[in-house]
């Protein structure tokens, strides 16, 4: 399989040219335009995350992806991620098989437990069941992927007997599981025969190599299907390093400090940001040359089949993100391919 390149967004509510925050509706319409551009410049995948809090505009990714499907022709469309633990596997499958029909077979899904917990009380789930909810629902979802009648029983959802879901997909639903870095989660992905997507949002990519090796060993042990490994990491591209750093810093600072106040993180600083954009950090921020070199290194180190750059962070403007997407498709992706070919 040829190396794929994706873009992800959580639908961060951004600032307009006047410096004021846009509405969630304006942000969502901008996401559709960003996806159109990504399709036009040759990006392979576009992912939209699910959140249920004021900083993010998208609570129903499938609706946004359906709008994107109508305006694009080739780019694959999915989530980053779908919080399966607080949703129903049958409804998730049906929504994505519907997206698959609308997009002519371009739908895929990235499932996750949810690093944000707002959806659990919102939809009536007990956080004490956090682990069991995901284990049971993932088990059911994997059975639904066969697109045959399903008989299933768990402890936290009503059982199914010879149940069939519709519509059917054109050629199956490509499914990944987003993992933050625990060995147990990696083994679970391998056991179910799904694709592994590593969310690397801190530290060097090399520290995740043992998890990639564990995934491949586990696939062999379980005898399940082997899939490419993907990485999701934040980034931003501009004409020069300084321009990219200056544009991106405010958004990274705002988002880190907002979440940090809830989770007990220390205040974000420019010094930490500069470390994060360097070789030892997980941010792919800079000129096309810098970003391409860092992506190529990560792909080589981890043996990836896909790299997804989370191009939206905090209040970074729509205009800056559009330029970043353009550079990603027209300059970064070709540079990475050449660097890898030269190696």
């Amino acid at each position: 399989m040829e190396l794929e390149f994706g873009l992800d967004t959580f639908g961060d509510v951004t600032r307009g040219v006047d410096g004021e925050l846009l509405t969630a509706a304006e942000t969502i319409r901008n996401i559709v335009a960003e996806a159109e551009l990504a399709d036009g410049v040759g990006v392979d995948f576009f992912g939209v995350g699910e959140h249920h809090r004021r900083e993010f505009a998208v609570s129903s990714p499938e609706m946004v992806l359906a709008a994107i499907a109508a305006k694009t022709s080739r780019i694959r469309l999915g989530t980053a991620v779908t919080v399966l633990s607080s949703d129903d596997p049958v409804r998730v499958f049906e929504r994505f098989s519907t997206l698959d029909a609308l997009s002519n077979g371009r739908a895929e899904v990235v499932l996750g437990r949810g690093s944000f917990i707002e959806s659990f009380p919102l939809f009536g789930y007990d956080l004490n069941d956090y682990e069991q909810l995901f284990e049971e629902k993932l088990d059911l979802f994997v059975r639904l992927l066969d697109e045959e009648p399903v008989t299933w029983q768990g402890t936290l959802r009503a059982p199914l007997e010879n149940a069939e879901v519709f519509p059917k997909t054109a050629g199956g639903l490509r499914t990944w599981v987003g993992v933050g870095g625990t060995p147990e989660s990696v083994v679970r992905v391998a056991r179910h025969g799904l694709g592994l997507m590593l969310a690397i949002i801190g530290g060097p990519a090399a520290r995740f190599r043992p998890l990639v090796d564990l995934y491949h060993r586990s696939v062999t042990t379980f005898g399940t299907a082997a899939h490419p490994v993907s990485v999701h990491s934040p980034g931003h591209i501009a004409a020069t390093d300084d321009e990219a750093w200056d544009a991106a810093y405010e958004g990274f600072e705002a988002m880190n400090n907002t979440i940090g106040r809830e989770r007990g993180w220390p205040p974000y600083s420019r010094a930490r940001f500069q470390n994060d954009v360097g070789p030892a950090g997980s941010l792919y921020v800079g000129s096309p040359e810098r970003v391409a070199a860092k992506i190529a290194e990560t792909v080589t180190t981890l043996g990836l089949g896909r790299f997804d750059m989370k191009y939206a962070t905090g209040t970074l403007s729509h205009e800056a993100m559009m330029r970043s997407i353009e550079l990603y498709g027209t300059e970064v992706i070709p540079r990475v391919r050449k660097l890898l070919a030269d190696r």
Side-chain angles (χ1 to χ4, degrees):
M1 169 182 165
E2 186 180 45
L3 177 64
E4 296 178 348
F5 295 86
L7 288 169
D8 294 335
T9 177
F10 292 170
D12 305 58
V13 175
T14 58
R15 296 193 185 279
V17 293
D18 60 359
E20 296 297 317
L21 285 176
L22 301 180
T23 65
E26 289 172 308
T27 300
I28 289 171
R29 290 192 290 271
N30 283 343
I31 292 170
V32 176
E34 290 155 12
E36 283 188 84
L37 176 60
D39 185 51
V41 297
V43 177
D44 298 306
F45 171 79
F46 193 86
V48 180
E50 172 197 351
H51 290 83
H52 304 269
R53 50 186 294 148
R54 72 176 72 249
E55 294 87 5
F56 305 107
V58 180
S59 58
S60 179
E62 304 89 349
M63 293 290 289
V64 181
L65 292 167
I68 293 169
K71 290 179 171 289
T72 57
S73 60
R74 46 160 298 281
I75 196 167
R76 296 190 62 80
L77 304 171
T79 46
V81 300
T82 292
V83 185
L84 184 64
S85 302
S86 57
D87 210 326
D88 183 81
V90 174
R91 292 296 290 141
V92 172
F93 182 87
E94 290 179 335
R95 295 198 299 267
F96 278 91
S97 63
T98 301
L99 175 65
D100 195 68
L102 288 169
S103 64
N104 195 24
R106 291 185 283 135
E108 56 184 75
V109 60
V110 182
L111 305 172
R113 293 186 297 176
S115 61
F116 291 83
I117 60 172
E118 289 82 6
S119 63
F120 289 82
L122 187 63
F123 298 120
Y125 291 97
D126 189 342
L127 279 169
N128 290 321
D129 298 325
Y130 183 81
E131 283 288 344
Q132 192 173 358
L133 280 167
F134 187 66
E135 184 60 64
E136 287 194 6
K137 292 186 176 188
L138 184 61
D139 178 65
L140 174 54
F141 192 88
V142 169
R143 299 190 189 201
L144 294 169
L145 290 173
D146 292 333
E147 304 194 41
E148 299 289 344
V150 172
T151 296
W152 177 91
Q153 185 167 351
T155 61
L156 299 173
R157 186 205 185 278
L160 296 175
E161 184 172 353
N162 207 36
E164 198 163 2
V165 296
F166 304 95
K168 305 299 184 182
T169 66
L173 181 62
R174 189 181 190 185
T175 302
W176 310 74
V177 177
V179 171
T182 63
E184 296 80 7
S185 295
V186 171
V187 172
R188 175 165 47 205
V189 178
R191 175 163 50 87
H192 285 296
L194 302 175
L196 175 67
M197 179 165 289
L198 292 168
I200 301 181
I201 57 174
R207 72 187 181 95
F208 286 80
R209 182 70 215 197
L211 294 179
V212 174
D213 294 338
L214 174 62
Y215 173 73
H216 292 308
R217 288 198 308 273
S218 299
V219 164
T220 300
T221 299
F222 293 122
T224 49
H227 296 275
V229 174
S230 176
V231 157
H232 152 108
S233 285
H236 176 66
I237 308 158
T240 67
D241 289 340
D242 287 338
E243 182 182 342
W245 296 339
D246 290 343
Y249 174 70
E250 180 184 351
F252 279 98
E253 180 190 45
M255 188 56 62
N256 274 272
N257 286 343
T258 297
I259 299 170
R261 283 190 290 271
E262 301 170 5
R263 301 184 181 183
W265 299 347
Y268 200 67
S269 67
R270 186 63 186 249
R272 178 181 162 191
F273 173 80
Q274 293 301 152
N275 179 74
D276 289 344
V277 302
S282 61
L283 303 186
Y284 296 76
V285 180
S287 66
E289 296 85 351
R290 174 183 287 269
V291 173
K294 193 168 183 178
I295 292 174
E297 185 64 28
T298 296
V299 168
T300 302
T301 300
L302 299 182
L304 301 181
R306 187 162 89 194
F307 179 88
D308 289 353
M309 186 180 80
K310 180 180 175 288
Y311 71 92
T313 299
T315 54
L316 185 66
S317 74
H318 169 61
E319 292 74 20
M321 288 191 287
M322 290 287 274
R323 181 58 176 153
S324 180
I325 292 168
E326 181 183 11
L327 291 171
Y328 185 68
T330 61
E331 295 196 29
V332 171
I333 291 175
R335 285 176 185 273
V336 175
R337 293 198 187 283
K338 185 175 187 309
L339 286 167
L340 295 175
D342 289 345
R343 292 182 183 187

